[in-house]
Amino acid sequence: MTAAQDDLVCEAVNASNSPYRLDPPTVDDGAAIWRIARDSKALDLNSSYSYLLWCRDFARTSVVARDGSGEPVGFVTGYVRPERPKTLVVWQVAVDHSYRGRGLAATMLDGLTERVTALGIDRVETTITPDNEASNRLFTSYGERHDAPIEREVLFHGGQFPDGHGTEVLYRIGPLGAFR
C-alpha cells in the first residue's frame, strides 16, 4: 500500500462519527504509546526502545488514535505473521485511562482491520490471558461484528514462561466476513 492509499483509508475511517483520528503511528508517537502501555497496568510493558521500533517498522499494521489536539490516546500494535501472510497478529491494544469506556479500542481495531484488508489480510490472531475479561470481550465482539468464526486454544501455558506469566490463549478470528 502506498502512502497515498494509507491516507485515503485513514480519511475514510476518520470520516466516521468517531471523535478520534486514526493514523499509522510514527516514531514521534513511540514515547506516548509506551506511556499509555505503562499506565494501563494491564499490558506486559516492553522497553521504550521496542515501541519506537514498532512505530518505525510496523506502522502499516498498527494504529494510533488521536484526540482533537492530535495527542495519542490509544493504540493497537500488530504485524503480519510471516508464515501466514493473510493474518494480522494483534500484539497490544491500549487506551489512555481517561478515554476508556467509550468504545475506542473497538474503533481502533475496526479501523486497523479496514486498512490492512488492502494488504490481503483476512484473519486476525491475538493472545489473551484467561483473566483479561476486557480483551476477551473486545475480541469476541470483534468476531461477531465481522461475522467471523473464533477458534481458541492454549498457545503457551504458564509453565513455559520463566517469569511466572500466566497462560496465553490464542484467538484465531476469520475469515473476516464484514470486509469480503
Side-chain angles (χ1 to χ4, degrees), residues 61-94:
T61 53
S62 299
V63 68
V64 63
R66 300 180 192 286
D67 64 11
S69 67
E71 292 301 311
V73 295
F75 70 89
V76 176
T77 53
Y79 63 92
V80 175
R81 191 161 167 212
E83 297 83 15
R84 294 191 173 155
K86 291 186 173 200
T87 300
L88 173 71
V89 176
V90 174
W91 182 258
Q92 289 187 320
V93 178

mmCIF file of all heavy atoms in Angstrom, residues 61-94:
data_model
loop_
_atom_site.group_PDB
_atom_site.id
_atom_site.type_symbol
_atom_site.label_atom_id
_atom_site.label_comp_id
_atom_site.label_asym_id
_atom_site.label_seq_id
_atom_site.Cartn_x
_atom_site.Cartn_y
_atom_site.Cartn_z
ATOM 1 N N THR A 61 0.802 -1.818 9.953
ATOM 2 C CA THR A 61 -0.079 -2.801 10.577
ATOM 3 C C THR A 61 -0.402 -2.428 12.024
ATOM 4 O O THR A 61 -0.758 -3.290 12.828
ATOM 5 C CB THR A 61 0.550 -4.205 10.505
ATOM 6 O OG1 THR A 61 1.871 -4.156 11.055
ATOM 7 C CG2 THR A 61 0.599 -4.704 9.069
ATOM 8 N N SER A 62 -0.291 -1.158 12.328
ATOM 9 C CA SER A 62 -0.607 -0.647 13.660
ATOM 10 C C SER A 62 -1.413 0.639 13.493
ATOM 11 O O SER A 62 -1.492 1.195 12.402
ATOM 12 C CB SER A 62 0.675 -0.365 14.449
ATOM 13 O OG SER A 62 1.430 -1.550 14.621
ATOM 14 N N VAL A 63 -2.008 1.103 14.585
ATOM 15 C CA VAL A 63 -2.797 2.331 14.525
ATOM 16 C C VAL A 63 -2.663 3.081 15.836
ATOM 17 O O VAL A 63 -2.480 2.473 16.893
ATOM 18 C CB VAL A 63 -4.291 2.029 14.211
ATOM 19 C CG1 VAL A 63 -4.965 1.301 15.357
ATOM 20 C CG2 VAL A 63 -5.052 3.272 13.830
ATOM 21 N N VAL A 64 -2.712 4.399 15.734
ATOM 22 C CA VAL A 64 -2.755 5.257 16.913
ATOM 23 C C VAL A 64 -4.012 6.119 16.784
ATOM 24 O O VAL A 64 -4.349 6.578 15.691
ATOM 25 C CB VAL A 64 -1.478 6.116 17.055
ATOM 26 C CG1 VAL A 64 -1.291 7.068 15.903
ATOM 27 C CG2 VAL A 64 -1.458 6.865 18.365
ATOM 28 N N ALA A 65 -4.725 6.266 17.902
ATOM 29 C CA ALA A 65 -5.901 7.143 17.949
ATOM 30 C C ALA A 65 -5.471 8.459 18.562
ATOM 31 O O ALA A 65 -4.763 8.479 19.573
ATOM 32 C CB ALA A 65 -7.005 6.505 18.772
ATOM 33 N N ARG A 66 -5.909 9.548 17.944
ATOM 34 C CA ARG A 66 -5.557 10.891 18.428
ATOM 35 C C ARG A 66 -6.817 11.630 18.849
ATOM 36 O O ARG A 66 -7.857 11.500 18.206
ATOM 37 C CB ARG A 66 -4.850 11.675 17.334
ATOM 38 C CG ARG A 66 -3.564 11.033 16.867
ATOM 39 C CD ARG A 66 -2.896 11.859 15.757
ATOM 40 N NE ARG A 66 -1.835 11.097 15.137
ATOM 41 C CZ ARG A 66 -0.651 10.850 15.681
ATOM 42 N NH1 ARG A 66 -0.378 11.320 16.876
ATOM 43 N NH2 ARG A 66 0.253 10.139 15.042
ATOM 44 N N ASP A 67 -6.676 12.419 19.893
ATOM 45 C CA ASP A 67 -7.788 13.252 20.330
ATOM 46 C C ASP A 67 -7.849 14.503 19.456
ATOM 47 O O ASP A 67 -7.085 14.629 18.481
ATOM 48 C CB ASP A 67 -7.668 13.589 21.814
ATOM 49 C CG ASP A 67 -6.440 14.436 22.146
ATOM 50 O OD1 ASP A 67 -5.755 14.960 21.236
ATOM 51 O OD2 ASP A 67 -6.163 14.593 23.358
ATOM 52 N N GLY A 68 -8.716 15.427 19.782
ATOM 53 C CA GLY A 68 -8.888 16.642 18.993
ATOM 54 C C GLY A 68 -7.640 17.496 18.874
ATOM 55 O O GLY A 68 -7.482 18.241 17.907
ATOM 56 N N SER A 69 -6.730 17.389 19.832
ATOM 57 C CA SER A 69 -5.489 18.169 19.769
ATOM 58 C C SER A 69 -4.363 17.416 19.070
ATOM 59 O O SER A 69 -3.253 17.928 18.951
ATOM 60 C CB SER A 69 -5.045 18.581 21.176
ATOM 61 O OG SER A 69 -4.668 17.443 21.923
ATOM 62 N N GLY A 70 -4.645 16.188 18.621
ATOM 63 C CA GLY A 70 -3.640 15.405 17.905
ATOM 64 C C GLY A 70 -2.780 14.523 18.786
ATOM 65 O O GLY A 70 -1.869 13.854 18.299
ATOM 66 N N GLU A 71 -3.049 14.499 20.087
ATOM 67 C CA GLU A 71 -2.261 13.686 21.015
ATOM 68 C C GLU A 71 -2.730 12.235 20.996
ATOM 69 O O GLU A 71 -3.931 11.972 20.971
ATOM 70 C CB GLU A 71 -2.373 14.228 22.440
ATOM 71 C CG GLU A 71 -1.701 15.567 22.633
ATOM 72 C CD GLU A 71 -0.220 15.517 22.314
ATOM 73 O OE1 GLU A 71 0.475 14.613 22.811
ATOM 74 O OE2 GLU A 71 0.240 16.395 21.564
ATOM 75 N N PRO A 72 -1.795 11.279 21.029
ATOM 76 C CA PRO A 72 -2.186 9.870 21.090
ATOM 77 C C PRO A 72 -2.951 9.560 22.381
ATOM 78 O O PRO A 72 -2.531 9.958 23.468
ATOM 79 C CB PRO A 72 -0.849 9.117 21.060
ATOM 80 C CG PRO A 72 0.096 10.071 20.402
ATOM 81 C CD PRO A 72 -0.340 11.430 20.874
ATOM 82 N N VAL A 73 -4.098 8.855 22.225
ATOM 83 C CA VAL A 73 -4.900 8.461 23.381
ATOM 84 C C VAL A 73 -5.159 6.956 23.383
ATOM 85 O O VAL A 73 -5.804 6.435 24.293
ATOM 86 C CB VAL A 73 -6.230 9.244 23.447
ATOM 87 C CG1 VAL A 73 -5.950 10.726 23.676
ATOM 88 C CG2 VAL A 73 -7.075 9.026 22.208
ATOM 89 N N GLY A 74 -4.653 6.275 22.374
ATOM 90 C CA GLY A 74 -4.790 4.826 22.304
ATOM 91 C C GLY A 74 -3.990 4.296 21.141
ATOM 92 O O GLY A 74 -3.580 5.053 20.258
ATOM 93 N N PHE A 75 -3.774 2.975 21.160
ATOM 94 C CA PHE A 75 -3.030 2.366 20.062
ATOM 95 C C PHE A 75 -3.346 0.886 19.959
ATOM 96 O O PHE A 75 -3.793 0.258 20.915
ATOM 97 C CB PHE A 75 -1.513 2.567 20.218
ATOM 98 C CG PHE A 75 -0.906 1.779 21.347
ATOM 99 C CD1 PHE A 75 -0.439 0.477 21.142
ATOM 100 C CD2 PHE A 75 -0.796 2.314 22.623
ATOM 101 C CE1 PHE A 75 0.123 -0.262 22.173
ATOM 102 C CE2 PHE A 75 -0.242 1.590 23.671
ATOM 103 C CZ PHE A 75 0.219 0.295 23.446
ATOM 104 N N VAL A 76 -3.099 0.362 18.772
ATOM 105 C CA VAL A 76 -3.096 -1.079 18.518
ATOM 106 C C VAL A 76 -1.810 -1.353 17.764
ATOM 107 O O VAL A 76 -1.541 -0.706 16.749
ATOM 108 C CB VAL A 76 -4.303 -1.538 17.664
ATOM 109 C CG1 VAL A 76 -4.206 -3.028 17.357
ATOM 110 C CG2 VAL A 76 -5.619 -1.202 18.338
ATOM 111 N N THR A 77 -1.014 -2.293 18.248
ATOM 112 C CA THR A 77 0.176 -2.705 17.511
ATOM 113 C C THR A 77 -0.080 -4.081 16.926
ATOM 114 O O THR A 77 -0.696 -4.940 17.560
ATOM 115 C CB THR A 77 1.433 -2.733 18.403
ATOM 116 O OG1 THR A 77 1.180 -3.520 19.560
ATOM 117 C CG2 THR A 77 1.854 -1.325 18.803
ATOM 118 N N GLY A 78 0.385 -4.264 15.708
ATOM 119 C CA GLY A 78 0.199 -5.538 15.038
ATOM 120 C C GLY A 78 1.267 -5.766 13.987
ATOM 121 O O GLY A 78 2.026 -4.849 13.648
ATOM 122 N N TYR A 79 1.305 -6.979 13.487
ATOM 123 C CA TYR A 79 2.238 -7.325 12.421
ATOM 124 C C TYR A 79 1.638 -8.447 11.599
ATOM 125 O O TYR A 79 0.747 -9.175 12.051
ATOM 126 C CB TYR A 79 3.616 -7.725 12.965
ATOM 127 C CG TYR A 79 3.614 -8.964 13.846
ATOM 128 C CD1 TYR A 79 3.830 -10.228 13.297
ATOM 129 C CD2 TYR A 79 3.410 -8.873 15.211
ATOM 130 C CE1 TYR A 79 3.828 -11.369 14.095
ATOM 131 C CE2 TYR A 79 3.408 -9.993 16.019
ATOM 132 C CZ TYR A 79 3.620 -11.244 15.452
ATOM 133 O OH TYR A 79 3.605 -12.361 16.248
ATOM 134 N N VAL A 80 2.133 -8.583 10.366
ATOM 135 C CA VAL A 80 1.704 -9.681 9.510
ATOM 136 C C VAL A 80 2.535 -10.898 9.881
ATOM 137 O O VAL A 80 3.764 -10.831 9.941
ATOM 138 C CB VAL A 80 1.886 -9.334 8.017
ATOM 139 C CG1 VAL A 80 1.540 -10.530 7.137
ATOM 140 C CG2 VAL A 80 1.032 -8.131 7.646
ATOM 141 N N ARG A 81 1.860 -11.990 10.117
ATOM 142 C CA ARG A 81 2.556 -13.212 10.513
ATOM 143 C C ARG A 81 3.323 -13.765 9.315
ATOM 144 O O ARG A 81 2.726 -14.062 8.279
ATOM 145 C CB ARG A 81 1.540 -14.231 11.029
ATOM 146 C CG ARG A 81 2.189 -15.378 11.694
ATOM 147 C CD ARG A 81 1.255 -16.137 12.570
ATOM 148 N NE ARG A 81 1.923 -17.382 12.897
ATOM 149 C CZ ARG A 81 1.315 -18.512 13.107
ATOM 150 N NH1 ARG A 81 0.006 -18.574 13.075
ATOM 151 N NH2 ARG A 81 2.009 -19.580 13.378
ATOM 152 N N PRO A 82 4.644 -13.909 9.404
ATOM 153 C CA PRO A 82 5.446 -14.328 8.250
ATOM 154 C C PRO A 82 4.984 -15.642 7.614
ATOM 155 O O PRO A 82 4.962 -15.755 6.395
ATOM 156 C CB PRO A 82 6.862 -14.459 8.812
ATOM 157 C CG PRO A 82 6.887 -13.526 9.976
ATOM 158 C CD PRO A 82 5.498 -13.601 10.563
ATOM 159 N N GLU A 83 4.591 -16.610 8.433
ATOM 160 C CA GLU A 83 4.174 -17.908 7.884
ATOM 161 C C GLU A 83 2.749 -17.880 7.352
ATOM 162 O O GLU A 83 2.324 -18.809 6.670
ATOM 163 C CB GLU A 83 4.274 -19.015 8.947
ATOM 164 C CG GLU A 83 5.665 -19.274 9.447
ATOM 165 C CD GLU A 83 6.064 -18.285 10.545
ATOM 166 O OE1 GLU A 83 5.206 -17.583 11.121
ATOM 167 O OE2 GLU A 83 7.281 -18.187 10.818
ATOM 168 N N ARG A 84 2.004 -16.846 7.685
ATOM 169 C CA ARG A 84 0.607 -16.706 7.255
ATOM 170 C C ARG A 84 0.381 -15.266 6.827
ATOM 171 O O ARG A 84 -0.141 -14.446 7.595
ATOM 172 C CB ARG A 84 -0.337 -17.093 8.384
ATOM 173 C CG ARG A 84 -0.233 -18.563 8.725
ATOM 174 C CD ARG A 84 -1.352 -18.979 9.634
ATOM 175 N NE ARG A 84 -1.292 -20.437 9.776
ATOM 176 C CZ ARG A 84 -1.764 -21.073 10.803
ATOM 177 N NH1 ARG A 84 -2.362 -20.419 11.774
ATOM 178 N NH2 ARG A 84 -1.672 -22.383 10.866
ATOM 179 N N PRO A 85 0.748 -14.912 5.604
ATOM 180 C CA PRO A 85 0.718 -13.514 5.167
ATOM 181 C C PRO A 85 -0.676 -12.891 5.070
ATOM 182 O O PRO A 85 -0.786 -11.685 4.856
ATOM 183 C CB PRO A 85 1.417 -13.541 3.813
ATOM 184 C CG PRO A 85 1.387 -14.954 3.373
ATOM 185 C CD PRO A 85 1.305 -15.805 4.597
ATOM 186 N N LYS A 86 -1.732 -13.672 5.271
ATOM 187 C CA LYS A 86 -3.082 -13.105 5.293
ATOM 188 C C LYS A 86 -3.583 -12.906 6.720
ATOM 189 O O LYS A 86 -4.749 -12.616 6.946
ATOM 190 C CB LYS A 86 -4.055 -14.016 4.536
ATOM 191 C CG LYS A 86 -3.805 -14.042 3.047
ATOM 192 C CD LYS A 86 -4.867 -14.834 2.350
ATOM 193 C CE LYS A 86 -4.663 -14.690 0.859
ATOM 194 N NZ LYS A 86 -5.880 -15.010 0.128
ATOM 195 N N THR A 87 -2.660 -13.050 7.692
ATOM 196 C CA THR A 87 -3.029 -12.969 9.102
ATOM 197 C C THR A 87 -2.351 -11.792 9.776
ATOM 198 O O THR A 87 -1.123 -11.675 9.754
ATOM 199 C CB THR A 87 -2.656 -14.278 9.828
ATOM 200 O OG1 THR A 87 -3.354 -15.357 9.215
ATOM 201 C CG2 THR A 87 -3.007 -14.217 11.299
ATOM 202 N N LEU A 88 -3.149 -10.935 10.396
ATOM 203 C CA LEU A 88 -2.656 -9.849 11.226
ATOM 204 C C LEU A 88 -2.599 -10.349 12.662
ATOM 205 O O LEU A 88 -3.616 -10.805 13.198
ATOM 206 C CB LEU A 88 -3.589 -8.637 11.155
ATOM 207 C CG LEU A 88 -3.254 -7.491 12.112
ATOM 208 C CD1 LEU A 88 -1.974 -6.782 11.666
ATOM 209 C CD2 LEU A 88 -4.416 -6.515 12.209
ATOM 210 N N VAL A 89 -1.438 -10.281 13.275
ATOM 211 C CA VAL A 89 -1.306 -10.615 14.690
ATOM 212 C C VAL A 89 -1.389 -9.304 15.470
ATOM 213 O O VAL A 89 -0.586 -8.398 15.253
ATOM 214 C CB VAL A 89 0.029 -11.332 15.003
ATOM 215 C CG1 VAL A 89 0.170 -11.569 16.501
ATOM 216 C CG2 VAL A 89 0.120 -12.638 14.224
ATOM 217 N N VAL A 90 -2.380 -9.196 16.326
ATOM 218 C CA VAL A 90 -2.520 -8.017 17.168
ATOM 219 C C VAL A 90 -1.715 -8.266 18.436
ATOM 220 O O VAL A 90 -1.978 -9.210 19.178
ATOM 221 C CB VAL A 90 -4.001 -7.727 17.499
ATOM 222 C CG1 VAL A 90 -4.121 -6.586 18.503
ATOM 223 C CG2 VAL A 90 -4.765 -7.408 16.220
ATOM 224 N N TRP A 91 -0.728 -7.413 18.648
ATOM 225 C CA TRP A 91 0.197 -7.580 19.759
ATOM 226 C C TRP A 91 -0.336 -6.914 21.022
ATOM 227 O O TRP A 91 -0.412 -7.534 22.066
ATOM 228 C CB TRP A 91 1.556 -6.997 19.363
ATOM 229 C CG TRP A 91 2.608 -7.134 20.399
ATOM 230 C CD1 TRP A 91 3.053 -6.157 21.252
ATOM 231 C CD2 TRP A 91 3.349 -8.311 20.724
ATOM 232 N NE1 TRP A 91 4.029 -6.652 22.070
ATOM 233 C CE2 TRP A 91 4.226 -7.987 21.760
ATOM 234 C CE3 TRP A 91 3.352 -9.598 20.228
ATOM 235 C CZ2 TRP A 91 5.111 -8.897 22.314
ATOM 236 C CZ3 TRP A 91 4.226 -10.516 20.778
ATOM 237 C CH2 TRP A 91 5.089 -10.159 21.812
ATOM 238 N N GLN A 92 -0.679 -5.637 20.927
ATOM 239 C CA GLN A 92 -1.183 -4.923 22.095
ATOM 240 C C GLN A 92 -2.283 -3.956 21.685
ATOM 241 O O GLN A 92 -2.243 -3.383 20.593
ATOM 242 C CB GLN A 92 -0.073 -4.131 22.796
ATOM 243 C CG GLN A 92 0.932 -4.990 23.515
ATOM 244 C CD GLN A 92 1.914 -4.176 24.344
ATOM 245 O OE1 GLN A 92 2.379 -3.125 23.952
ATOM 246 N NE2 GLN A 92 2.228 -4.694 25.533
ATOM 247 N N VAL A 93 -3.235 -3.766 22.584
ATOM 248 C CA VAL A 93 -4.296 -2.769 22.451
ATOM 249 C C VAL A 93 -4.336 -2.029 23.779
ATOM 250 O O VAL A 93 -4.422 -2.651 24.832
ATOM 251 C CB VAL A 93 -5.677 -3.425 22.204
ATOM 252 C CG1 VAL A 93 -6.771 -2.359 22.121
ATOM 253 C CG2 VAL A 93 -5.660 -4.310 20.960
ATOM 254 N N ALA A 94 -4.282 -0.706 23.715
ATOM 255 C CA ALA A 94 -4.347 0.077 24.953
ATOM 256 C C ALA A 94 -5.023 1.409 24.689
ATOM 257 O O ALA A 94 -4.875 2.001 23.619
ATOM 258 C CB ALA A 94 -2.951 0.305 25.533
#
